Amino acid sequence: MAKPLKNKQAFHSGLQAQRKQKKMRNPVSLSEEDDNEMPLFYWWRSAEEFNENGELKLNLSKLSNLTPRLKVLREMERLALIAPEGLDELRQKLFNYRSGDFYLPIGGISKEEMDIPPVIMILLVGFSGSGKSSLINLMYSVLGRSGLIPFAHTSGNSRNYTTTVMEEHNVLRSMRSGFCVYDSRSLDYNRMSDSLETMSRWLGDGVYHHQPCWITGDEALGTQDELKPLMESMSSSSSSRFRTRTVNCVIVVINIAEVYQALMNGDSKPLEATKELFSCPAIRKCNENPVLIMTHGDMMSTEERMEGRIKICEYLGVSETNGVYDIVCLSEHGILANGSDPVTAYALTEAVYRALMVSDRNHLPKRNIKDWVLLVVTWLMYALSCFFAVLAFLFSKLSRGFRFLGKMAERMDLSEKMNGSESEETNIKCSDAFSSVEGQVNDPKKSCTDCGTSKTPLWRGGPAGPKSLCNACGIRYRKKRRALLGLNKGRQEKEKKERRNNPNNKKLGVSIKLRLLELGREVFLDRSTTEKHRKLGEEEQAAVLLMALSCGSVYA
């Protein structure tokens, strides 16, 4: 164990000598605060795996024996080893970066054939109090060397403030910058569906500078009325002149102290909401695993900080060291972590560098003539399918209407035929009755075998045969015969009751009676005109009335 310790001490002594030489060559550098600068603080070296001198007690050369905790410690040691010398180099790469510089030819397509935007856009998303605006200010301090000047308004200790409009930040403060960073409105743990829908809209449609950050559901909750004056005042200069930028990469920012504290208290809602956001399909479409930045770790102990990082990464299903960065926006002295914390500064620079590499890897090829023709044909086929679908719907409605009208017409024809057949039968019966009445009234040869009269409205059957009795004698003979025989009395009474109780028979009898009366009136009017207005005799009138009464009794 003595040999690794000696190598470590030799490395630190050599590192201090290199820093002194670099200060002499480049007086304006990250380590500009020479002897008066505050001592560096490496928070992870207070863990039990380190001794009093800040050196590891374990050998990390065997990768098979590494636990998630040791992997995190090794990653932090890597950052501490590279940060003092590698920050300026990495920052210079970002300063010279142009859109598409990190693209590698894939699939036989050159860089000129790719659809690369002029400026790569990185979007910061997170929940309320996650520290997105503080992270923007730290980027200005580390990458743009703006010192302690804040460029983004932070919420501080107030939870009521939130970013109301999209803000584009040129964190390099350069006219030739190849990327920009957008600060978005904080999301809500209790409105995940609305937040994810808004997130999908931002990633699908793109965003522009000073775009109002409306979240779906603000109008229903009354939040829109509260934020509208503030948004109008801040977005007064927004117009179509600001270019809409497509989101190329997403950085998810979470408050590790808040998530871990809620998890320890039995509230898993922040952690579940973070997983929903991290696994959002719209975000995964931009990059498979977005960059994850954990903030506010300085509010936790070393053990809590390590355990919180491991649990969150395990729940999200990502590596503890690949694409995950623990960044403190403010140092332990309450100022921006710049020269006093080179590990944080380098971690932030590396996170931006990784986001740009991921963005340049996900560019799509440009559309050629074949692609445009295929797109036009697809849209035409879609329009035709919609047109024919509408036609099919209309014709189905029309066919149903025509079928309904046909059924109604058939029913009307059937009812007319039934009414016509009934009227024809009635007319035939009435005409036969009147013809028989005429023949019987005007026949002088016939006489009743009972009373001897030759004039009667109707001849009836008797003991001497059919039409041997007059009307009155025939009725008396029939009653006597029925009384003597006593047949069919119950049956006739039953049929009469059924006829009386049946409403259809009543209606039919009334209608036929009225038609018979009208027909009789017309027949006698015709006879009166043909016989030169001859008046009806008493016998004829009696016959007509008797016939009407008999018809009424039949169809009653």
Side-chain angles (χ1 to χ4, degrees):
M1 198 68 182
K3 189 173 182 179
L5 292 177
K6 290 181 180 179
N7 294 336
K8 192 76 173 179
Q9 292 174 357
F11 170 76
H12 281 290
S13 61
L15 185 61
Q16 292 178 358
Q18 289 179 3
R19 292 181 66 184
K20 289 181 180 180
Q21 293 178 3
K22 183 177 180 182
K23 241 186 346 180
M24 296 176 62
R25 292 195 308 266
N26 186 12
V28 182
S29 65
L30 179 66
S31 57
E32 192 173 4
E33 302 86 354
D34 43 7
D35 295 332
N36 296 324
E37 68 177 356
M38 291 175 288
L40 301 180
F41 175 71
Y42 301 109
W43 58 268
W44 65 91
R45 289 184 178 174
S46 61
E48 59 183 7
E49 287 83 1
F50 291 87
N51 56 20
E52 296 178 355
N53 298 326
E55 298 174 347
L56 273 173
K57 302 177 183 179
L58 304 174
N59 185 10
L60 302 181
S61 59
K62 295 182 180 181
L63 300 179
S64 59
N65 298 331
L66 293 181
T67 61
R69 181 184 176 90
L70 293 179
K71 289 180 181 179
V72 173
L73 294 176
R74 188 185 66 172
E75 174 66 14
M76 299 307 298
E77 284 295 311
R78 180 187 73 84
L79 294 176
L81 183 65
I82 301 175
E85 299 298 326
L87 179 58
D88 287 339
E89 180 182 355
L90 193 58
R91 185 165 50 188
Q92 189 65 29
K93 288 182 179 180
L94 294 180
F95 189 81
N96 296 330
Y97 171 79
R98 298 297 176 267
S99 180
D101 283 352
F102 298 152
Y103 172 74
L104 296 176
I106 298 175
I109 301 177
S110 61
K111 180 181 176 181
E112 289 74 16
E113 297 176 354
M114 302 298 295
D115 187 11
I116 301 176
V119 176
I120 298 297
M121 198 270 270
I122 301 174
L123 179 65
L124 299 183
V125 296
F127 297 96
S128 178
S130 60
K132 301 186 302 298
S133 300
S134 300
L135 204 62
I136 292 289
N137 290 328
L138 183 60
M139 289 182 185
Y140 274 112
S141 177
V142 174
L143 302 179
R145 303 193 183 192
S146 62
L148 303 180
I149 301 175
F151 284 84
H153 189 268
T154 60
S155 60
N157 295 326
S158 175
R159 287 281 181 154
N160 296 327
Y161 175 80
T162 182
T163 304
T164 54
V165 294
M166 289 286 185
E167 296 180 3
E168 180 175 327
H169 296 278
N170 183 359
V171 293
L172 290 179
R173 302 173 62 200
S174 172
M175 297 296 293
R176 299 179 299 169
S177 176
F179 69 95
C180 63
V181 182
Y182 266 76
D183 188 11
S184 62
R185 179 178 169 181
S186 299
L187 307 179
D188 193 350
Y189 291 125
N190 300 319
R191 299 170 56 193
M192 281 307 300
S193 59
D194 297 337
S195 300
L196 294 180
E197 183 178 351
T198 305
M199 178 72 57
S200 302
R201 187 172 66 249
W202 291 344
L203 298 178
D205 302 338
V207 296
Y208 57 88
H209 185 53
H210 280 179
Q211 174 183 342
C213 294
W214 299 117
I215 292 182
T216 306
D218 283 345
E219 185 176 359
L221 297 175
T223 313
Q224 187 173 0
D225 298 334
E226 299 176 2
L227 298 178
K228 190 173 183 179
L230 182 60
M231 288 188 179
E232 289 179 352
S233 62
M234 296 187 65
S235 63
S236 58
S237 59
S238 64
S239 64
S240 59
R241 291 178 296 175
F242 290 111
R243 181 175 297 179
T244 301
R245 301 193 186 278
T246 304
V247 180
N248 300 110
C249 186
V250 177
I251 295 180
V252 178
V253 185
I254 62 172
N255 186 342
I256 184 175
E258 181 181 12
V259 175
Y260 181 77
Q261 188 64 32
L263 191 61
M264 291 296 100
N265 294 333
D267 183 12
S268 60
K269 180 183 289 185
L271 185 58
E272 292 175 356
T274 302
K275 184 174 183 179
E276 285 187 58
L277 176 62
F278 195 79
S279 305
C280 178
I283 295 179
R284 291 301 181 97
K285 187 177 180 181
C286 290
N287 41 318
E288 184 177 356
N289 286 324
V291 179
L292 181 63
I293 294 181
M294 301 179 181
T295 60
H296 298 84
D298 55 326
M299 302 174 63
M300 309 166 64
S301 64
T302 301
E303 296 299 324
E304 291 176 346
R305 198 168 178 176
M306 298 281 293
E307 185 181 1
R309 176 172 178 170
I310 293 172
K311 285 188 175 182
I312 291 174
C313 293
E314 182 180 0
Y315 190 78
L316 297 180
V318 296
S319 174
E320 299 86 359
T321 58
N322 188 13
V324 180
Y325 299 93
D326 190 339
I327 297 176
V328 179
C329 297
L330 297 178
S331 65
E332 70 274 9
H333 302 284
I335 62 175
L336 291 174
N338 192 346
S340 62
D341 192 355
V343 175
T344 298
Y346 185 83
L348 178 63
T349 308
E350 186 176 291
V352 175
Y353 186 83
R354 177 183 289 271
L356 295 177
M357 290 186 65
V358 172
S359 301
D360 283 340
R361 190 176 58 186
N362 293 331
H363 294 310
L364 298 176
K366 295 179 180 178
R367 294 183 182 274
N368 52 24
I369 298 177
K370 292 182 179 179
D371 296 332
W372 285 111
V373 171
L374 182 61
L375 182 63
V376 171
V377 171
T378 303
W379 278 106
L380 286 176
M381 295 297 293
Y382 178 74
L384 288 175
S385 62
C386 293
F387 175 72
F388 284 115
V390 172
L391 285 181
F393 177 75
L394 293 177
F395 280 118
S396 64
K397 289 289 186 182
L398 289 174
S399 63
R400 290 177 184 175
F402 285 137
R403 284 198 297 268
F404 178 74
L405 292 176
K407 290 181 180 179
M408 292 297 295
E410 290 178 359
R411 291 178 182 177
M412 292 177 65
D413 293 340
L414 183 60
S415 61
E416 289 179 359
K417 288 179 180 179
M418 291 176 65
N419 294 332
S421 61
E422 291 176 359
S423 61
E424 288 179 1
E425 291 177 358
T426 306
N427 293 333
I428 292 171
K429 290 180 179 179
C430 291
S431 60
D432 293 340
F434 280 110
S435 60
S436 64
V437 168
E438 285 186 19
Q440 291 168 1
V441 170
N442 297 327
D443 192 0
K445 297 179 181 180
K446 268 192 177 183
S447 61
C448 179
T449 57
D450 190 9
C451 64
T453 183
S454 60
K455 293 182 180 180
T456 179
L458 183 64
W459 295 101
R460 294 182 178 274
K467 296 182 182 182
S468 59
L469 296 175
C470 65
N471 188 30
C473 296
I475 292 173
R476 287 195 300 270
Y477 172 73
R478 188 176 181 182
K479 287 181 178 180
K480 289 179 181 180
R481 186 179 179 185
R482 287 184 178 179
L484 291 173
L485 296 177
L487 299 175
N488 300 330
K489 186 174 181 181
R491 183 178 178 184
Q492 290 177 358
E493 292 179 356
K494 187 176 180 181
E495 289 179 355
K496 286 181 181 180
K497 288 182 181 180
E498 291 180 355
R499 290 172 184 171
R500 290 174 184 174
N501 295 331
N502 192 353
N504 295 328
N505 292 336
K506 291 181 180 180
K507 294 179 181 179
L508 184 61
V510 172
S511 61
I512 292 177
K513 185 192 295 184
L514 294 175
R515 290 179 182 178
L516 285 173
L517 290 175
E518 293 177 0
L519 184 60
R521 189 180 295 110
E522 291 177 359
V523 170
F524 281 102
L525 287 175
D526 292 340
R527 288 185 60 192
S528 61
T529 54
T530 53
E531 295 179 2
K532 296 181 180 181
H533 307 284
R534 183 176 63 84
K535 293 184 179 181
L536 293 176
E538 295 180 358
E539 295 178 355
E540 293 176 352
Q541 293 180 1
V544 172
L545 292 176
L546 184 60
M547 185 175 62
L549 290 173
S550 64
C551 291
S553 64
V554 170
Y555 293 100

